[in-house]
Amino acid sequence: MLIALGALFLSGLVADLISRKTGFPRVTLFLFIGLGAGGAGFDMIPPALQEWYDALSVIALTMVAFLLGGGLHRDTLRQHGRAIMIISLAIVLGTLVVVTIGLTAMGMPLGLALPLAAIATATAPAATNDVITQSGVNNGFTQTIRGIVAIDDVWGLLTFSLVLVAVGQLQGDHGLEGLLLAGREAGGAIALGFAIGVPAAMVTGRLRDGEPLQIEALSLVFLCAGLSLWLEVSFLITGMVVGAVIVNLATHHTKAFNEISHIQWPFVVLFFILAGAELDMDVARTLGAIGLGFVVLRTLSRIISGWVGARLAHVPQNEVPWYGVALLPQAGVAIGMALIAAQRFPAWGAEIIALTIGTTVVFEIFGPIATLIAIKRAQQDKGS
């Protein structure tokens, strides 16, 4: 296992160097490495290391959530908050409507099309954030994208839960368990985020002036992730709220998230490589017309609704066409939604899981490429 860990870190370093030379998203390269080393390739990753994936994903995504929340400083919200809210809502609602109409037009029952459309609203915060970091671009467009990704899980979770309730009503189930569960998961995560973030903002960074210690950063990440899992609330929303609270309340910090930025990289490398090892290409190859239609519908819906939202938000003209393109990546959040939907509607469970896993493979590999293209094109169009 130690040899495998060393080899994976080394391959991650090589992938990072290749991405620097070619401009290709390193997230996609990490996934390809995982595909080659995992069960779909040469099956070289020891089972003991594969068992780390769940824990690594929670730790890595919590760190990403911290950093995304840290981007929601009051100055950023004052400058881009309106665009973040309008574009994010437009993309979620647009994706839900377009994918639902498209799938039903292809002959899919409304009760199945609605959950799949709700799953399509989910994005991939880790992949999107890493592509932005790799691009080295820090402007209004990337700041708004980070903000949208930060709150996207809140809208997606609420939309998904409302859809489950609506489909249950269509089938004669008059319970509101799904909506109550979403309220508890999102509301509990926000409350936990404030409970951790407020004292952390007051206490951290006191032992060394102006910058929290690495052990302080690690303690916050692990406490945030562990308490979220224990209380059964969203660790992504909790991490985002903690990050936002600290960056806005801890005025004595000069670099509140420097240490998390430093320590997240090894976790993120392993997370994406092991995620690639978990991908099942056989499922992706058997999608057929419905799977292809879902990919096309989700892509078109995000491009169109991103354009509409950007126009409504009155963002600079060079950014208008690129928000939906930048938000194409999709990953583990969608699969989590699919598992819940499959449990709620077992008659459609196999179709929901197969379609979600298969299309997630496509968006996880090609989505980061679209994000990087969008960032570069928005910057180039500004220059022209």
Side-chain angles (χ1 to χ4, degrees):
M1 186 175 70
L2 293 175
I3 294 171
L5 271 174
L8 291 181
F9 279 129
L10 185 60
S11 63
L13 177 62
V14 172
D16 185 49
L17 291 173
I18 293 173
S19 72
R20 290 174 187 269
K21 297 290 186 181
T22 63
F24 198 77
R26 59 191 175 193
V27 171
T28 303
L29 292 176
F30 294 154
L31 292 170
F32 281 139
I33 291 170
L35 275 171
F42 296 101
D43 199 14
M44 298 168 61
I45 299 179
L49 184 55
Q50 288 180 318
E51 291 173 3
W52 287 17
Y53 175 66
D54 289 341
L56 275 171
S57 64
V58 173
I59 295 168
L61 289 171
T62 302
M63 290 180 176
V64 170
F66 263 79
L67 296 174
L68 289 172
L72 298 177
H73 190 273
R74 64 176 68 90
D75 293 336
T76 301
L77 292 176
R78 192 178 298 116
Q79 188 175 2
H80 305 293
R82 182 174 181 272
I84 290 170
M85 294 295 291
I86 292 175
I87 296 172
S88 62
L89 283 171
I91 289 178
V92 167
L93 294 176
T95 301
L96 182 68
V97 171
V98 172
V99 176
T100 300
I101 293 174
L103 290 178
T104 52
M106 294 176 68
M108 184 177 287
L110 180 62
L112 176 57
L114 274 169
L116 287 171
I119 291 168
T121 65
T123 53
T128 308
N129 187 66
D130 189 78
V131 172
I132 293 172
T133 302
Q134 178 188 341
S135 72
V137 178
N138 183 24
N139 55 20
F141 181 74
T142 56
Q143 289 171 8
T144 303
I145 290 294
R146 286 186 196 269
I148 292 171
V149 173
I151 66 169
D152 188 68
D153 276 319
V154 180
W155 303 139
L157 177 63
L158 293 175
T159 301
F160 177 70
S161 301
L162 287 169
V163 164
L164 291 188
V165 172
V167 174
Q169 296 286 331
L170 289 173
Q171 294 190 324
D173 178 9
H174 300 293
L176 297 176
E177 293 86 354
L179 189 59
L180 292 174
L181 181 63
R184 178 185 178 279
E185 186 172 353
I190 293 170
L192 178 61
F194 276 99
I196 296 174
V198 172
M202 301 298 108
V203 174
T204 56
R206 302 292 185 182
L207 296 177
R208 187 173 64 197
D209 289 341
E211 189 171 329
L213 299 175
Q214 190 174 84
I215 195 69
E216 291 178 310
L218 281 172
S219 66
L220 280 176
V221 168
F222 280 85
L223 280 172
C224 181
L227 288 171
S228 297
L229 294 175
W230 183 45
L231 296 172
E232 297 182 347
V233 299
S234 169
F235 58 85
L236 284 172
I237 297 175
T238 302
M240 180 197 72
V241 173
V242 172
V245 169
I246 291 176
V247 79
N248 284 289
L249 294 185
T251 54
H252 60 286
H253 286 178
T254 56
K255 298 179 180 178
F257 299 92
N258 220 28
E259 289 302 329
I260 293 180
S261 297
H262 291 161
I263 61 180
Q264 73 151 345
W265 182 234
F267 291 98
V268 169
V269 171
L270 282 182
F271 164 63
F272 282 117
I273 292 178
L274 293 179
E278 295 279 323
L279 296 179
D280 190 344
M281 295 302 293
D282 290 334
V283 174
R285 283 192 287 265
T286 59
L287 286 177
I290 293 294
L292 178 61
F294 183 89
V295 170
V296 172
L297 286 169
R298 183 178 183 269
T299 302
L300 289 176
S301 67
R302 296 182 89 75
I303 293 173
I304 294 169
S305 55
W307 181 86
V308 171
R311 291 298 298 265
L312 292 174
H314 301 294
V315 300
Q317 185 60 38
N318 62 291
E319 301 175 4
V320 169
W322 301 111
Y323 279 101
V325 178
L327 292 164
L328 281 176
Q330 187 176 39
V333 176
I335 295 174
M337 288 181 175
L339 293 173
I340 295 171
Q343 291 173 355
R344 185 74 183 273
F345 308 112
W348 293 320
E351 295 169 82
I352 292 172
I353 291 175
L355 190 66
T356 303
I357 292 176
T359 54
T360 296
V361 172
V362 177
F363 286 114
E364 199 164 6
I365 291 174
F366 296 103
I369 300 173
T371 303
L372 191 59
I373 291 171
I375 293 170
K376 290 182 176 179
R377 286 299 305 271
Q379 190 179 35
Q380 289 172 2
D381 292 348
K382 182 179 180 180
S384 60

